[in-house]
């Protein structure tokens, strides 16, 4: 039995059990390793992708639930205007450290900007609290989201000198 | 380790080129005519270079700088990138002297090679102890300066002009009087046959163009676009994947496996049964995880099947009654305690902690009868290499380690247990295999930060000034296992690191009692000895200040006569935090101070405690003096990072055992701080021209003590055990 998925606009037919989590289809079958494995039970957000624009934990999303839906991943984030602004802000504010959680952080942030173009701190808390960063880049992630939402007012990330 | 690090500052590094012209030439030839300057550590026989063909040298070059005739400039960085920014800061050290912009440099992961790349303090290739910048500060600048000097000399010879009439700039050598210029690439052939100068001058720091300037990290773009490759991302044709269940009890064994349901899962190719683990191998991890869940494994728990945290604490409490090995002794503590106007005693305890890096442990192995290749992110590549060689029986140089970006390390990736397990699995599988641990495996099979059970006593004179300080450290020795040559006469220098802080006491006794538990593994955890001891010391000194009815900042400051830089960060933190300003009821400020990794740090935490006992961290002011900051923005980032790591541990971190099994399993019961719990962070960096200190772990030690000291002010409750438990802070 095969399943056909639409990922980043392209159609893929997969010969795997339809209860297979999307995460492993992306990483191991399609070779799209930008989406990360962190916990396996939707606790850390490292595996976040968009399903029809909604931030979704791919580690607990069986591909059977994705028929007729559109999946997008970190690999395609830069192709969207908001994604491009987010990535530019991430780079400008030097957000990543180890970087492993950042694809998931970016996908959650992009989904946030998708429904709330100018988020306040409470919006950011609500959208981003599901994404753990063990390097503790939260201050810069917050600043980068605000910068991407309002590129004219980029907050500095540096120290008081 | 600390025994060879000057307490006054950065590591003392002996710079030696160790290279004869002959060995230099042989290296150059082996690398296909490139100019190679591996002058930092002696190249004893240049074994690796001699055995590698020019083609393979592209993948595993020797040395730290490589310039090829096509103009490509590469640096090989032996300290791994796990978030702390060393790929950028160490490249900056070279680039500053080499006169090449960072943007023109390719950075490569170093291969496993202790002869070329050993950490000079640890004696093997190891990224840890916040040493990377400290041990390379002079050698990597020397490497850059030597390469630049040779390129300039090569150009001068080509033009037949004095070398001092030429200068290097932007990867070119210029001769200003004639306007001539040559790229580094064009000079490679000439420079490669020149003798290596014995000694070259380093730049006056006033001339630094890069060092001290916030510089974009070389890995930021890759890590913001999903293209950075971690160990877990390694892929090549024919690769299988594996999921594993290891014995839930240390020392346990597999008795019986019913795998008929697992084998039936589409995509599962094989079940591998080891003595102490069962692995499901297959075409993709979705299949192997599904298969693993369908295995029915019977375990023999072995002798530790009844072990619990209570057993551990009882063992440590009993051990604390033994006399320890003396680490530091000054004056007569016993006599001074007996005659002091007031005596204060306390027991401080900190729990076992897991590391929970975001990237779960993994290792990819390609094994043949003659060769073994490993792909993983490792803080200690040669330990991984040796582990694989030992299991396979292959010679060391038949084991190749391809290091990758680390999705967090924190000390956990200095261990090689996952390498051993992956190689054992690979021995039973016909194709290469990538082993990925589940988060549950990661939490339950850690090398945990040891549980410490420390006994502290102090004597105060009639003015409240401490005249005696004793601190007995009781716990596991990581050094004895990992770096036995530093474990001398029963003393673990790391375990007692910072056991009296930066303070001066007229009578002082630090001793150490080693107590190992058979039921668990212990390992380095971000902040190592300093993190453990700062909690004890900064909590206890706070107790002394309140016992003496003195201000905790002033009290500390009066004891810092040997460390003016400590006094300076302390007072600056207090000032920035508006230390004396009143706060609402149920709120408090607490301070902590540490001298660690050759750097100074002080944190002031502001907290509020609800009647329910829930603690909210409102703000943390952090002042750091790490000497000269190579990449100042990275220093700030590391302070932000360490504070979050320290807060996670202070608020939530605790591994417990029951029936020999770790009770926690994933991020729901081994929690990490999330963004909605973040305090305001105010980081302040002292501008300094002292030699660089370490920063990667620096912010961790001062977090928990600042917070518990603030909780004391807010509630009157002195917490001497972590993590912070709201139920203990509940007010009627």
């Amino acid at each position: 039995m095969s399943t056909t998925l639409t990922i980043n606009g392209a159609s893929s037919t997969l010969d795997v059990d339809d209860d297979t989590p999307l995460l492993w289809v992306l990483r191991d079958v399609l070779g799209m390793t930008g989406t990360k494995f962190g916990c396996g039970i939707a606790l850390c957000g490292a595996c976040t992708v968009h399903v029809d624009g909604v931030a979704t934990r791919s580690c607990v999303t069986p591909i059977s639930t994705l028929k007729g839906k559109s999946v997008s991943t970190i690999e395609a984030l830069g192709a969207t205007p908001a994604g491009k602004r987010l990535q530019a802000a991430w780079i400008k504010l030097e957000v990543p450290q180890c970087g492993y959680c950042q694809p998931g952080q970016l996908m959650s942030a992009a989904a946030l900007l998708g429904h709330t173009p100018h988020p306040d701190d409470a919006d950011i808390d609500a959208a981003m609290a599901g994404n753990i960063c063990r390097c503790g880049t939260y201050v810069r992630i917050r600043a980068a989201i605000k910068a991407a939402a309002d590129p004219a007012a980029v907050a500095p990330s540096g120290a008081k000198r | 380790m600390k025994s060879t690090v000057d307490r006054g500052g950065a590591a003392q590094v002996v710079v030696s080129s160790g290279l004869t012209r002959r060995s230099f030439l042989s290296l150059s030839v082996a690398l296909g005519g490139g100019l190679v300057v591996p002058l930092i550590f002696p190249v004893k026989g240049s074994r690796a270079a001699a055995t590698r063909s020019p083609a393979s040298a592209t993948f595993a070059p020797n040395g730290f700088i490589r310039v090829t005739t096509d103009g490509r400039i590469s640096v090989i960085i032996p300290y791994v990138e796990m978030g702390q920014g060393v790929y950028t800061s160490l490249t900056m050290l070279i680039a500053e002297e080499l006169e090449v912009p960072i943007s023109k440099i390719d950075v490569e992961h170093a291969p496993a090679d202790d002869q070329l790349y050993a950490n000079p303090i640890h004696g093997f290739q190891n990224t840890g102890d916040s040493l990377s910048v400290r041990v390379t500060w002079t050698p990597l600048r020397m490497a850059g300066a030597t390469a630049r000097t040779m390129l300039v000399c090569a150009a001068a010879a080509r033009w037949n002009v004095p070398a001092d009439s030429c200068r290097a700039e932007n990867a070119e050598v210029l001769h200003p009087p004639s306007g001539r210029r040559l790229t580094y690439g064009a000079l490679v052939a000439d420079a490669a046959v020149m003798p290596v100068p014995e000694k070259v001058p380093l730049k006056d720091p006033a001339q630094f163009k890069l060092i001290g300037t916030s510089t974009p990290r070389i890995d930021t773009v890759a890590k913001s676009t999903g293209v950075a490759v971690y160990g877990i991302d390694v892929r090549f044709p024919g690769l299988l994947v594996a999921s594993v269940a290891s014995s839930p009890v240390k020392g346990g064994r597999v008795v019986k496996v019913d795998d008929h349901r697992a084998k039936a899962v589409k995509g599962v190719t094989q079940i591998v049964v080891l003595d102490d683990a069962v692995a499901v191998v297959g075409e993709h991890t979705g299949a192997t995880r599904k298969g693993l869940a369908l295995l029915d494994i019977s375990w023999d728990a072995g002798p530790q099947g009844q072990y619990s945290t209570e057993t551990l604490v009882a063992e440590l409490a009993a051990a604390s009654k033994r006399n320890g090995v003396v680490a530091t002794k000054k004056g007569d503590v016993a006599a001074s305690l007996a005659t002091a106007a007031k005596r204060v005693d306390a027991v401080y305890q900190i729990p076992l902690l897991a590391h929970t890096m975001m990237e779960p442990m993994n290792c990819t192995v390609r094994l043949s009868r003659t060769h073994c290749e490993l792909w993983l992110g490792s803080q200690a590549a040669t330990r991984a290499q040796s582990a694989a060689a030992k299991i396979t029986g292959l010679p060391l140089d038949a084991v190749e380690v391809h290091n990758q970006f680390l999705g967090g390390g924190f000390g956990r990736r200095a261990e090689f247990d996952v390498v051993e397990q992956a190689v054992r699995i690979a021995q039973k599988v016909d194709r290469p295999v990538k082993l990925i641990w589940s988060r549950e495996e990661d939490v339950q099979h850690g090398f945990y930060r040891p549980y410490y059970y420390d006994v502290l006593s102090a004597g105060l004179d009639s003015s409240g000034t401490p005249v005696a300080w004793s601190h007995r450290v009781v716990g596991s020795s990581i050094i004895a296992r990992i770096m036995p040559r530093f474990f001398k006469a029963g003393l673990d220098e790391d375990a007692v690191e910072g056991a009296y802080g930066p303070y001066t006491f007229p009578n002082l006794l630090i001793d150490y009692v080693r107590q190992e538990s058979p039921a668990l593994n212990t390992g380095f955890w971000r902040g190592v000895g300093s993190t453990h001891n700062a909690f004890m010391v900064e909590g206890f000194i706070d107790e002394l200040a309140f016992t003496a009815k003195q201000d905790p900042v002033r009290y500390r400051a009066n004891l810092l006569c040997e460390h003016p830089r400590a006094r300076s960060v302390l007072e600056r933190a207090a000032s920035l935090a508006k230390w004396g300003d009143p706060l609402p009821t149920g709120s408090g400020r607490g301070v902590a101070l540490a001298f660690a990794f050759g750097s100074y740090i002080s944190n002031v935490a502001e907290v509020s405690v609800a009647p329910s006992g829930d603690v909210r961290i409102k703000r943390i002011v952090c002042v750091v003096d790490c000497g000269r900051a190579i990449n100042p923005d990275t220093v700030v980032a590391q302070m932000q990072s360490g504070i979050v790591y320290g807060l996670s541990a202070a608020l939530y971190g605790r591994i417990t055992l029951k029936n020999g099994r770790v009770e926690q399993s994933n991020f729901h019961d081994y929690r990490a701080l999330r963004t909605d719990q973040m305090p305001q962070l105010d980081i302040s960096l002292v501008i300094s021209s002292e030699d660089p200190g370490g920063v990667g772990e620096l912010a961790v030690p001062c977090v928990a003590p600042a917070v518990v000291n603030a909780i004391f002010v807010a509630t009157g409750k002195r917490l001497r055990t972590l993590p912070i438990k709201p139920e203990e802070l509940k007010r009627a």
Side-chain angles (χ1 to χ4, degrees), chain B residues 578-584 587 589 606:
Chain B
K578 303 197 187 309
W579 178 254
D581 283 11
L583 286 171
S587 296
R589 282 190 200 91
E606 190 182 313

Side-chain angles (χ1 to χ4, degrees), chain A residues 1 15-17 19-20 24 27-29 31 33-34 36-41 43-44 74 87 90-91 94 96-100 102-103 106 125 128-132 134-136 138-140 142 157-161, chain B residues 82-83 216-217 220 223-226 230 232-233 235 266 284-286 289-290 355-356 358-360 406-408 437 439 633 636-638 640-641 644-645 648 666-668 672-676 678 681-683 685 687:
Chain A
M1 187 180 60
D15 183 25
V16 297
D17 282 351
D19 61 353
T20 303
W24 302 113
R27 290 183 53 83
D28 289 357
V29 180
T33 54
K36 302 303 187 198
F37 167 56
C39 70
I41 51 175
L43 292 172
C44 79
I74 183 72
Q87 287 179 325
W90 245 246
I91 291 163
E94 292 285 333
Q97 291 186 25
C98 94
Y100 189 80
Q102 298 299 341
L106 280 155
D125 281 348
M128 302 301 294
N131 288 76
I132 294 174
R134 287 290 276 156
C135 297
Y138 298 128
V139 170
R140 292 177 190 232
R142 186 177 299 270
S157 69
K160 289 176 189 161
R161 300 289 293 278
Chain B
M82 46 190 173
R217 288 176 53 143
T220 296
K223 288 177 174 177
S224 300
T225 51
Y230 302 82
I232 203 168
D233 299 328
R235 285 172 57 81
K266 184 176 180 177
H284 63 86
T285 312
R289 281 171 65 88
K290 185 176 173 182
H355 304 75
T356 56
M358 291 310 298
E359 180 196 8
L406 281 65
W437 276 16
R439 177 59 62 191
D633 188 54
V636 173
Q638 286 311 295
Q640 294 167 334
S641 174
V644 174
Y645 205 75
S648 290
N666 207 316
F667 287 118
H668 62 293
L673 196 79
R674 293 171 183 272
T675 197
D676 58 345
M678 275 294 288
L681 301 186
D682 293 306
I683 317 287
L685 181 55
I687 302 300

Side-chain angles (χ1 to χ4, degrees), chain B residues 27 30 43-53 56 60-62 111-113 115-116 397:
Chain B
L27 272 172
V43 184
K44 291 167 187 150
S46 58
R47 169 190 55 79
T51 55
R52 284 180 192 138
S53 69
S56 69
N62 285 277
D113 191 335
Q115 291 187 343
L116 278 178
D397 59 8

Side-chain angles (χ1 to χ4, degrees), chain B residues 361-378:
Chain B
M361 295 298 280
N362 62 84
C363 180
T364 297
V365 183
R366 178 155 64 193
L367 186 61
S368 72
R369 282 192 306 151
T370 57
H371 201 66
C372 177
E373 282 180 278
L374 306 175
W375 288 261
L376 77 164
S378 172

Side-chain angles (χ1 to χ4, degrees), chain B residues 420-435:
Chain B
E420 294 179 325
Q421 193 175 60
V423 171
R424 289 202 169 98
I425 293 166
Q427 285 178 320
K428 300 191 174 200
V429 178
D430 286 341
R431 282 160 58 182
V433 63
K434 171 161 67 178
L435 172 65

Side-chain angles (χ1 to χ4, degrees), chain B residues 516-732:
Chain B
E516 300 293 345
S517 164
L520 58 101
N521 295 315
T522 60
F524 290 124
W525 188 89
R526 189 180 190 184
V528 293
S530 295
T531 288
H532 136 230
N533 282 308
F535 178 69
M536 282 52 176
V537 169
E538 288 302 299
F540 194 55
I541 200 94
D542 219 61
E543 292 195 51
L544 302 187
F546 280 94
T547 302
K549 298 187 168 54
Q550 293 182 30
D551 174 76
V553 170
R554 191 79 357 244
Y555 193 79
R556 285 172 172 82
N558 288 338
L559 300 171
L560 293 171
C561 55
E562 290 177 60
H563 287 281
R565 291 167 71 192
R567 184 174 177 142
S568 170
V569 293
L570 171 71
E571 290 175 343
R572 186 158 164 187
S575 162
L576 289 173
K578 303 197 187 309
W579 178 254
D581 283 11
L583 286 171
T585 306
S587 296
R589 282 190 200 91
V591 67
L593 171 69
F595 168 52
F597 313 109
S599 299
Y600 296 86
I601 186 165
S602 182
N603 284 347
V604 173
E606 190 182 313
V607 310
S608 65
V609 183
S612 64
D614 284 339
V615 175
R616 180 86 202 190
I617 320 294
K618 313 280 278 189
R619 181 187 186 203
I620 290 185
V621 171
C622 167
V623 177
V624 56
D625 172 0
C626 62
R628 189 181 297 279
I630 309 305
N631 194 356
D633 188 54
T634 285
V635 176
V636 173
Q638 286 311 295
M639 297 309 110
Q640 294 167 334
S641 174
I643 289 169
V644 174
Y645 205 75
L647 280 176
S648 290
L651 292 171
Y652 315 124
R654 172 174 41 175
I655 290 291
T656 56
L657 288 97
K658 193 175 179 183
N659 295 328
R661 290 156 172 82
V662 170
E663 295 185 281
Q664 294 73 27
S665 65
N666 207 316
F667 287 118
H668 62 293
D669 54 8
Y670 193 81
R671 293 173 62 189
L673 196 79
R674 293 171 183 272
T675 197
D676 58 345
Q677 298 297 311
M678 275 294 288
Q680 177 184 331
L681 301 186
D682 293 306
I683 317 287
S684 179
L685 181 55
V686 173
I687 302 300
S688 168
S689 57
E690 299 280 346
D691 278 352
V695 300
E697 303 168 88
L698 178 61
V700 184
C702 274
V703 178
V707 169
V708 299
N709 292 342
I711 288 173
F712 176 75
V713 172
T715 66
K717 174 90 182 169
R718 177 63 67 184
L719 300 178
R720 300 187 185 90
T721 303
L722 289 176
I724 295 159
K725 298 173 197 72
E727 61 269 25
E728 292 180 2
L729 300 172
K730 195 180 276 185
R731 296 195 293 276

